[in-house]
Structures are given as C-alpha cells and as structure tokens.
Amino acid sequence: MSTTVTPQTLATLKTIATSTITTLLYKRGFRNVFIQGARPLKPGQRLAGPAFTLRYIPAREDLDGLDAFLDPRHPQRVAVEEIPAGAVLVMDCRGDVTVAAAGSILATRMQVRGVAGIVADGGLRDASGIAALEIPAWCAGPSAPTNLIRHHALDLNAPVGCGGVAVYPGDIMVGDDDGVVCIPSHLAEEIARDAVPMERYEDFVLERVRAGASITGLYPLTEPENRTLFEAWLERRAAG
C-alpha cells in the first residue's frame, strides 16, 4: 500500500530518531522494520523520503561482463536516471558486502538530480568520495569490486528485501546514526504525529535522570508526581 506523504510529514520524520520510530511501529504490531547491516557513511546526516527500489539477484557470467553497462537500459543506470527527486534509492543486495552496489559517480549524479539518499544492505565503492557528498548514504560497508562480479540488476521499483526488511515502493525510509527504518507509507502521518510528544517526554526523562532521578515510575511514566513534573516541564517549554 503506497500513500502520498506530505512534505511537512517528511520534514518532521527527518528530525525523529529511528529508535523512537521503531518503538512506535512496534506498538502497532510491526517488529521487522530496521534495515540490518546498513550504517551511515557519514555520521550526523539525516534522511527521510519515499523508497525507490532496485533489486539485485546473483550474477551470471554470460550476462554480467563489463559490457553490460553499454546497454542504456541496464537497470542500475536506469534507476539513477529515473529515481524522482526527494526519493531514496533502496538497493536489495542480499546482504552481500563483497562487491559494491554503486559508487561515487552514480551517487554524485543522484545528488545533482535531487535524490534524498541511498540505502543498501551491501557495499558501496569510493566510500570516502560518497561520504564527502551532501547526499546521505547507508550501507553494510565499503567495498571496491564492481557489482557485476556478484550482482545482476533486475527489478526497478518493485517490492524488495533490504537488510531483512520488506520494502515496498513509496514506503518512507528514515535514517540517522543508528541506521535506517522503513515506515509503511500509510502509517507515516500518524507516526510523525505521535513521535513529537514521545521525544519531548524522553527529553524530560533524560533531563531528570541526569539530575539523579530514578527511572522507576518515570520511565514509563506511572507515578502521579512525575506526571505533574512533566506537565509543568511542558508548560515551561511552551512559554519559551
């Protein structure tokens, strides 16, 4: 199910921690939403955008020589030229980090085209070059060999498995230093809505814990005294 998500929702989600989002999705019954093995090439970058997917299957020697890139219809190259601005290229590499799913030239082209980010459960080559770009990228690690050694690019914008997670085109990918979470598109608006007060509460908890408070009755918020303190804290924040 793909639902159009507003720019305001994406802007909000870009500020929300993936830990917060995974908890909110768990409350709704979603346990498998965090892309395993994908780590940021450049810590500190954030990501929020709809998925545009590319699926790799194992390479075959008669199909995946270097001349494969001479074909302008090669799915990897088509993906780079057709992914919409603001979308996230999500590559299903079957968790194989022995080769690169893409490199800095393709990443640069996507940056110029306004792509929001790159997510792969495999490797990326020219990793330092990609890390120097503005476009954020998450992968399983740097890997120099060309994708043709192990990958055959096949499907574009079809459901894929990335890092053990089912990713459907249009699902909202959110990334931070912990990794990347996949939000089913029809839940993105309510996750963004609920995430803001949840993070405010956790800011309050962290402030109290730093001051020496016990987490008992505070996290979760079960003691009336702590609830009163939280409400007063919210009022002070609102007053500036």
Side-chain angles (χ1 to χ4, degrees), residues 5 17 39 56 67 94 97 100 103 121 129 138 150 153 168 210 229 234:
V5 177
R39 297 291 179 265
Y56 288 115
D67 59 351
R94 311 178 313 284
V97 75
D121 63 353
W138 284 254
R150 298 279 292 177
Y168 287 77
R210 284 172 174 163
L229 289 172
L234 287 174

Side-chain angles (χ1 to χ4, degrees), residues 32-37 92 94-95 121 160-167:
N32 186 36
V33 293
F34 189 71
I35 308 297
Q36 296 299 315
D92 172 4
R94 311 178 313 284
D121 63 353
V160 299
C162 184
V165 175
V167 179

Side-chain angles (χ1 to χ4, degrees), residues 21 35 44 51 53 59 69 74 91 98 107 154 165 183 187 203 225:
I21 294 170
I35 308 297
T53 63
F69 288 141
H74 188 277
M91 292 180 280
T98 63
L154 190 63
V165 175
I183 307 174
L187 293 175
D203 287 344
E225 180 182 353

Side-chain angles (χ1 to χ4, degrees), residues 134-155:
E134 294 179 4
I135 184 172
W138 284 254
C139 67
S143 191
T146 176
N147 70 88
L148 295 168
I149 294 173
R150 298 279 292 177
H151 295 323
H152 177 82
L154 190 63
D155 294 327

Side-chain angles (χ1 to χ4, degrees), residues 84-217:
V88 178
L89 181 61
V90 179
M91 292 180 280
D92 172 4
C93 305
R94 311 178 313 284
D96 189 341
V97 75
T98 63
V99 298
S104 63
I105 291 176
L106 301 188
T108 300
R109 174 59 178 157
M110 287 188 283
Q111 175 176 290
V112 170
R113 297 193 59 249
V115 173
I118 302 166
V119 177
D121 63 353
L124 290 175
R125 70 197 310 190
D126 314 315
S128 62
I130 296 176
L133 297 173
E134 294 179 4
I135 184 172
W138 284 254
C139 67
S143 191
T146 176
N147 70 88
L148 295 168
I149 294 173
R150 298 279 292 177
H151 295 323
H152 177 82
L154 190 63
D155 294 327
L156 279 181
N157 225 24
V160 299
C162 184
V165 175
V167 179
Y168 287 77
D171 283 349
I172 303 303
M173 312 303 293
V174 178
D176 62 11
D177 284 353
D178 283 351
V180 179
V181 61
C182 175
I183 307 174
S185 60
H186 64 285
L187 293 175
E189 301 280 351
E190 63 181 83
I191 293 296
R193 178 198 67 205
D194 293 352
V196 173
M198 180 174 172
E199 293 213 327
R200 285 177 184 156
Y201 162 64
E202 293 191 349
D203 287 344
F204 164 74
V205 169
L206 189 56
E207 185 177 301
R208 294 288 297 155
V209 169
R210 284 172 174 163
S214 168
I215 61 171
T216 302

Side-chain angles (χ1 to χ4, degrees), residues 5-16 48 192:
V5 177
T6 67
Q8 293 83 359
T9 293
L10 292 176
T12 297
L13 289 172
K14 196 171 182 178
T15 70
I16 303 300

